Amino acid sequence: MSENLDYSDQHYFNSYDHFSIHEEMLKDSVRTISYRDAIYKNRDQFKDKVVLDVGCGSGILSMFAANAGAKHVIGVDRSNIIDMAREVVAANGLSSKITLIKGKMEEVVLPFDKVDIIVSEWMGYFLLYEAMLDTVLYARDRYLVDGGLILPDKAIMYISGIEDEEYKGQKIGFWDDVYGFDYTPFKSLALRDPLVDCVEEKSVITTKFALRTFDLYTVTKKDLSFSSDFQLLCMNTDTLHGFVVWFDIDFERVNNKVHFSTGPAAKYTHWKQTVFYTVDNHNITTGDSIQGKIDVSPNVVNPRDVDIEIDYSVQNGSRHCLKFIMA
Amino acid sequence: MSENLDYSDQHYFNSYDHFSIHEEMLKDSVRTISYRDAIYKNRDQFKDKVVLDVGCGSGILSMFAANAGAKHVIGVDRSNIIDMAREVVAANGLSSKITLIKGKMEEVVLPFDKVDIIVSEWMGYFLLYEAMLDTVLYARDRYLVDGGLILPDKAIMYISGIEDEEYKGQKIGFWDDVYGFDYTPFKSLALRDPLVDCVEEKSVITTKFALRTFDLYTVTKKDLSFSSDFQLLCMNTDTLHGFVVWFDIDFERVNNKVHFSTGPAAKYTHWKQTVFYTVDNHNITTGDSIQGKIDVSPNVVNPRDVDIEIDYSVQNGSRHCLKFIMA
């Protein structure tokens, strides 16, 4: 009996606490190395500072900050994963530098009244899905000293048009004939369901348009509902099957800036991209313009979900209105 | 405004009800075509019969049964997906043949006191994880006529030993050094977490052993906790990194029998296989024997989870005890 384990750790295996989510995030090297670079390459700005890690998860950002010379790091997370983070921090001899607190950011009591720096990896799919940006904003308004730093400090959401015949056939057309049966009621659901998946760069057939910039120093909770007009220019003569949305992240107010993208032209991240299929396909010609408007707001029933409407027309043709729920 | 959708279908998007689970199951052609064959190739046994579909999901098996000539089909499911199934059944003109009832099998009132045939796709990962076999057994004992049919009627669980150095390194060894930090507390969790993934046939380095046969006509709820000894013979000189468990399914008490496997040598299914990594790796030689015992039982705290213990020794060497939670 070389290993005598018991089942007391069961709670780590339950739903949101399952460690595989954290494994996926840690293994997302674009994400993790961007944060590491933003911290390690700006040691002069971390030296002797009090740092708050909002939603610290397995503790990786807290340990980066401690290693970069922070005076003290406070990690807050409401998930049971923080008990694991505590073990990891201890295993790395950082327990005296890092205080981990389990609870909601809005309810916990921190050992410092103010912090110099907030670090947080708060981004969800489509940037805002199940995201905890509002928690970061609470922490900023309550705890950040005047002139304090937020890492990252900018998120920009982009949209492009895509050609995606093959995959749209698998996800939408599939329901027309399922082993001989008409499953079109599911087709209606599928057309309302944004698809988180990897879009190849070659599928992008229009210019990109920056829908929205979130400046972490100034954004407020009400900005999480927004409406943006967009214009796209077709770069190919092809068929438009839908739109793809992604985001870029910047660490700008540090001496050595860091940037990463989750777009189709960038290296894989666990956020992939978010695809919104159109009901109709559209033949488009190089130079055609697409005019559109996107409306984004937290779902009224379940605020972690996101309602998304995309209105668009191709070359001033008829107006199409698509409604999605990201749930 | 060619499409005017609203958000009233929100509940289909929530957790278990999300239709993508049903999409994955329908697209598992090994699964779905096996059921279709077992029903369509035995039309004589379905003709004019009353059929109960336990956990009918999107209604595909109910429609197969109706098309095969059943007098009436009753589909029962507690998930909201049954509202979608109702729309699909209507779209296919089968509403008068198929009655769909939302609720727990143990609580609903059926329009027939007895049924001639039970069909059910109840199998979960590792056969038993989140499975609803006990629900099928309730339906059998309460509703099936003497001499009635159950499809499928047999499930066999198998085990083999595997060489899996590369992937074990990614899943277990990864935690030794995560961006320079010691994450070994997570390694302990990972070693208790059965991994649902595809094992290549060439990774199997021992014989297979049938751990348990579930005869759907005779199995009882208490049989879902079981203990089985096993013996494996090494077919290569290689390294043992863990065990793989899978199941085969049979439709035997029909005139035209159907069989499918979810093993490493078979075509992909959405059940994949379940891998149990050993703590230690073992050098093995062709002809070596592995003696073992597996204990499987529903978790006491959460009965949908499964506790699994594997005790084994290689060539009568020291005994190793592994404990897993499938959660």
Side-chain angles (χ1 to χ4, degrees):
Chain A
M1 300 279 273
S2 58
E3 304 81 34
N4 195 358
L5 311 174
D6 66 33
Y7 292 119
S8 61
D9 291 320
Q10 166 120 27
H11 62 294
Y12 296 121
F13 289 97
N14 289 339
S15 62
Y16 268 96
D17 302 330
H18 196 288
F19 71 95
S20 63
I21 296 166
H22 300 276
E23 181 181 352
E24 185 186 25
M25 292 192 292
L26 289 167
K27 285 181 172 172
D28 180 343
S29 59
V30 169
R31 163 198 179 270
T32 309
I33 290 176
S34 294
Y35 276 87
R36 188 185 66 179
D37 286 351
I39 295 169
Y40 282 5
K41 292 184 176 174
N42 293 290
R43 287 174 185 269
D44 51 336
Q45 287 173 284
F46 276 81
K47 188 165 163 38
D48 297 330
K49 293 289 163 47
V50 174
V51 179
L52 172 60
D53 178 359
V54 179
C56 63
S58 72
I60 189 81
L61 305 188
S62 292
M63 293 193 293
F64 286 152
N67 265 10
K71 181 169 84 182
H72 202 83
V73 184
I74 309 146
V76 177
D77 205 302
R78 58 189 297 189
S79 157
N80 288 325
I81 200 72
I82 201 167
D83 300 327
M84 290 301 300
R86 209 167 271 130
E87 289 186 43
V88 170
V89 164
N92 290 280
L94 291 168
S95 300
S96 64
K97 277 271 182 199
I98 299 174
T99 301
L100 296 171
I101 302 173
K102 190 194 290 192
K104 292 181 72 169
M105 193 68 235
E106 295 81 355
E107 294 169 3
V108 296
V109 177
L110 301 196
F112 295 84
D113 187 53
K114 291 286 174 184
V115 303
D116 302 300
I117 301 176
I118 289 174
V119 298
S120 183
E121 198 280 79
W122 53 268
M123 299 85 78
Y125 297 132
F126 184 70
L127 188 63
L128 299 174
Y129 175 60
E130 293 196 340
M132 49 175 193
L133 180 53
D134 53 344
T135 302
V136 177
L137 302 186
Y138 173 86
R140 176 196 67 189
D141 297 340
R142 166 65 185 83
Y143 291 109
L144 192 65
V145 294
D146 284 348
L149 291 177
I150 307 175
L151 283 77
D153 47 35
K154 200 168 82 177
I156 309 179
M157 191 185 272
Y158 292 95
I159 192 168
S160 282
I162 55 169
E163 185 287 324
D164 204 18
E165 183 173 11
E166 188 182 338
Y167 202 51
K168 189 176 183 178
Q170 291 172 31
K171 298 302 291 185
I172 306 294
F174 168 75
W175 300 108
D176 288 329
D177 179 354
V178 178
Y179 303 92
F181 295 105
D182 175 347
Y183 260 73
T184 49
F186 280 84
K187 192 174 182 173
S188 308
L189 288 188
L191 282 166
R192 268 171 276 183
D193 192 37
L195 190 66
V196 175
D197 218 326
C198 297
V199 173
E200 289 183 272
E201 189 178 3
K202 68 176 187 198
S203 299
V204 175
I205 56 170
T206 74
T207 52
K208 70 177 179 182
F209 189 92
L211 290 171
R212 197 76 174 174
T213 296
F214 297 89
D215 177 336
L216 271 284
Y217 290 103
T218 57
V219 66
T220 63
K221 192 168 174 178
K222 71 174 170 44
D223 297 323
L224 304 185
S225 297
F226 65 91
S227 178
S228 296
D229 292 320
F230 62 86
Q231 299 83 41
L232 303 172
L233 204 63
C234 298
M235 302 183 301
N236 298 72
T237 294
D238 212 320
T239 306
L240 179 79
H241 295 107
F243 298 96
V244 58
V245 174
W246 70 93
F247 58 90
D248 286 9
I249 293 293
D250 285 284
F251 303 76
E252 289 204 330
R253 207 182 287 185
V254 284
N255 296 334
N256 292 297
K257 301 182 199 321
V258 173
H259 166 90
F260 72 92
S261 174
T262 68
K267 191 179 162 191
Y268 171 89
T269 75
H270 78 286
W271 289 288
K272 302 174 182 170
Q273 293 86 39
T274 306
V275 172
F276 300 86
Y277 286 125
T278 51
V279 174
D280 301 316
N281 300 330
H282 303 277
N283 296 320
I284 50 113
T285 304
T286 306
D288 280 359
S289 79
I290 298 168
Q291 306 288 327
K293 184 164 81 79
I294 188 167
D295 282 281
V296 177
S297 56
N299 184 269
V300 177
V301 178
N302 186 348
R304 288 168 70 90
D305 296 346
V306 185
D307 293 345
I308 302 151
E309 284 190 44
I310 299 178
D311 275 42
Y312 71 98
S313 64
V314 179
Q315 284 289 84
N316 297 314
S318 58
R319 196 94 185 150
H320 301 267
C321 175
L322 310 172
K323 293 197 184 195
F324 300 89
I325 310 174
M326 191 128 191
Chain B
M1 297 281 273
S2 59
E3 305 80 33
N4 195 358
L5 311 174
D6 65 32
Y7 293 119
S8 62
D9 292 319
Q10 166 120 28
H11 61 295
Y12 298 121
F13 290 97
N14 288 340
S15 61
Y16 268 97
D17 302 331
H18 196 288
F19 71 94
S20 63
I21 296 166
H22 300 277
E23 180 181 353
E24 185 186 24
M25 293 193 292
L26 289 167
K27 285 182 172 173
D28 180 344
S29 59
V30 169
R31 162 198 180 271
T32 309
I33 291 178
S34 293
Y35 276 87
R36 188 186 67 181
D37 286 350
I39 295 169
Y40 282 3
K41 292 185 176 175
N42 292 291
R43 286 173 186 269
D44 51 336
Q45 288 173 284
F46 275 81
K47 190 167 161 35
D48 296 331
K49 294 288 163 49
V50 175
V51 178
L52 172 61
D53 179 358
V54 179
C56 64
S58 73
I60 189 81
L61 305 188
S62 292
M63 294 194 293
F64 285 152
N67 265 10
K71 182 168 84 183
H72 203 82
V73 184
I74 309 146
V76 177
D77 205 302
R78 58 189 297 189
S79 158
N80 288 325
I81 199 72
I82 201 167
D83 299 328
M84 290 302 299
R86 209 168 273 129
E87 289 187 45
V88 170
V89 164
N92 290 280
L94 291 169
S95 299
S96 64
K97 278 272 183 197
I98 299 174
T99 301
L100 296 171
I101 303 173
K102 190 195 290 194
K104 292 182 73 170
M105 193 67 235
E106 296 81 356
E107 293 169 3
V108 297
V109 178
L110 301 196
F112 295 85
D113 187 52
K114 290 285 174 184
V115 303
D116 302 301
I117 300 176
I118 289 173
V119 298
S120 183
E121 200 280 81
W122 53 268
M123 299 85 79
Y125 297 132
F126 184 70
L127 188 63
L128 299 174
Y129 175 59
E130 292 194 341
M132 49 174 192
L133 180 53
D134 53 344
T135 302
V136 177
L137 302 186
Y138 173 86
R140 175 195 68 189
D141 297 339
R142 167 65 186 82
Y143 291 109
L144 192 65
V145 295
D146 284 348
L149 290 177
I150 306 175
L151 282 79
D153 47 34
K154 202 167 83 178
I156 310 179
M157 190 184 273
Y158 291 96
I159 192 169
S160 282
I162 56 170
E163 184 288 321
D164 204 19
E165 183 173 12
E166 189 182 338
Y167 202 52
K168 188 175 183 177
Q170 290 173 32
K171 298 302 290 185
I172 307 293
F174 168 75
W175 300 107
D176 288 330
D177 179 354
V178 177
Y179 302 92
F181 296 105
D182 175 348
Y183 261 74
T184 49
F186 280 83
K187 192 174 183 174
S188 309
L189 288 188
L191 282 167
R192 268 170 276 182
D193 192 36
L195 190 66
V196 174
D197 219 323
C198 296
V199 173
E200 288 183 272
E201 189 178 3
K202 68 176 187 197
S203 299
V204 176
I205 56 169
T206 73
T207 52
K208 70 177 179 182
F209 190 92
L211 291 171
R212 198 76 174 175
T213 296
F214 296 90
D215 177 336
L216 271 284
Y217 289 104
T218 58
V219 66
T220 63
K221 192 168 173 178
K222 70 173 171 43
D223 297 323
L224 303 185
S225 295
F226 64 89
S227 180
S228 296
D229 292 320
F230 62 86
Q231 299 83 40
L232 303 171
L233 203 63
C234 298
M235 301 183 300
N236 297 73
T237 294
D238 213 320
T239 306
L240 179 80
H241 295 106
F243 299 95
V244 57
V245 173
W246 71 92
F247 58 90
D248 286 9
I249 293 292
D250 285 284
F251 303 76
E252 288 204 331
R253 208 183 288 183
V254 284
N255 297 334
N256 292 297
K257 302 182 198 320
V258 172
H259 166 91
F260 72 91
S261 173
T262 68
K267 192 178 160 192
Y268 170 89
T269 75
H270 78 284
W271 288 288
K272 302 175 184 172
Q273 291 87 38
T274 306
V275 172
F276 300 86
Y277 285 125
T278 51
V279 175
D280 301 317
N281 300 331
H282 303 277
N283 295 321
I284 51 113
T285 303
T286 306
D288 280 359
S289 78
I290 299 168
Q291 306 288 327
K293 183 163 80 80
I294 188 168
D295 283 281
V296 177
S297 55
N299 184 269
V300 177
V301 178
N302 186 348
R304 288 169 69 89
D305 296 346
V306 186
D307 293 344
I308 301 152
E309 284 191 45
I310 299 177
D311 275 42
Y312 71 97
S313 65
V314 178
Q315 283 290 83
N316 298 315
S318 58
R319 196 94 185 150
H320 300 269
C321 175
L322 310 173
K323 293 196 186 196
F324 300 89
I325 310 173
M326 191 126 191

